[in-house]
Structure formats: structure tokens, C-alpha cells
Amino acid sequence: MERFINRELVVAAQMTTPEDNPLVSDTTRMMDVWFGATVVRKQLFKKVAKADQEAFIQELLSRGFVQSGNLLVNPRAVLFAEMEHELVGGVITIGFGDNNRAVELKVKAPAFRELAAKLIEQ
């Protein structure tokens, strides 16, 4: 399947693999991708091949995204972050949706610390 995703506008992406969901296979994986602009919007991409998903992950990581499990986040898109618990992790806000509600994502503690370090560097 031919598909173009403007990676410059991606602020976060969540991968679904066969390990996460037994109903998907290596040829029918899924990706939730959040795009940032005036508002943050999420788009579900279905029928993503394993190789395409892995290439997408590698490209985002090479651009400085932080990985928390199957979630990848652009540190430059984080408006604010709050640690809930040092063992569990925290919540980050990457923008606001159409309804003016905050778009929040949960990240594990190691990823939260990595995000916090990158935010301090900026």
C-alpha cells in the first residue's frame, strides 16, 4: 500500500504490534499518529507492514523522538509534563484538540526522565 505521512508535522506516534494485539499481524499492524498544527489531531493508519512501521520508528528516533514502550514523542512538542510517580511515570501534554481539551499522553518513568532532560536543554 502506498502511503505518505508528513513526518515534519508528527508530534507523537503509538505503534500496535502483534505482541500488543493478537488480531494484528506483520502485514496488518496499526499506527496512531498525532499531528501538530493549530490543533493536535490523531489519525489511525491501518494495514501497516512491519518493515514500514520499523522504518517509521527509526526515522522518528533519528529525529530525536523519545520512546516509551510503543509510544514515540517529539520533545519539542511537549507543552508541559508532570511526573505522577517515580516508578510509574508521568503525563505529558502535546497540545490541544478541536474541543480545546489538552491532548495528554502517559509515558513510563525512564522516558519521562529523558524527556525532562531534553526539555531542560532547550
Side-chain angles (χ1 to χ4, degrees):
M1 174 181 284
E2 196 74 28
R3 172 181 291 134
F4 171 77
I5 297 173
N6 187 341
R7 288 154 169 78
E8 294 299 317
L9 296 177
V10 173
V11 295
Q14 176 80 47
M15 307 299 153
T16 302
T17 65
E19 294 79 31
D20 305 313
N21 182 341
L23 299 177
V24 300
S25 69
D26 282 344
T27 58
T28 62
R29 292 175 177 222
M30 296 182 290
M31 298 188 315
D32 284 310
V33 179
W34 288 264
F35 295 95
T38 309
V39 296
V40 174
R41 290 193 171 92
K42 181 172 91 171
Q43 176 68 44
L44 173 65
F45 293 97
K46 298 179 182 180
K47 296 184 181 177
V48 179
K50 179 181 180 179
D52 294 337
Q53 192 180 61
E54 289 174 349
F56 188 71
I57 291 169
Q58 289 308 312
E59 183 176 337
L60 295 181
L61 290 173
S62 72
R63 291 186 43 224
F65 278 57
V66 173
Q67 189 166 10
S68 176
N70 285 342
L71 176 68
L72 295 106
V73 178
N74 184 345
R76 293 181 301 276
V78 176
L79 299 178
F80 56 90
E82 185 173 16
M83 179 71 89
E84 290 182 332
H85 190 278
E86 288 185 19
L87 297 176
V88 178
V91 175
I92 60 169
T93 300
I94 58 170
F96 294 88
D98 287 328
N99 56 4
N100 287 330
R101 287 194 168 175
V103 177
E104 298 177 331
L105 302 171
K106 291 190 176 215
V107 295
K108 296 176 182 173
F112 186 92
R113 285 191 283 278
E114 184 179 347
L115 279 169
K118 288 188 177 197
L119 291 172
I120 290 169
E121 291 173 6
Q122 291 182 5

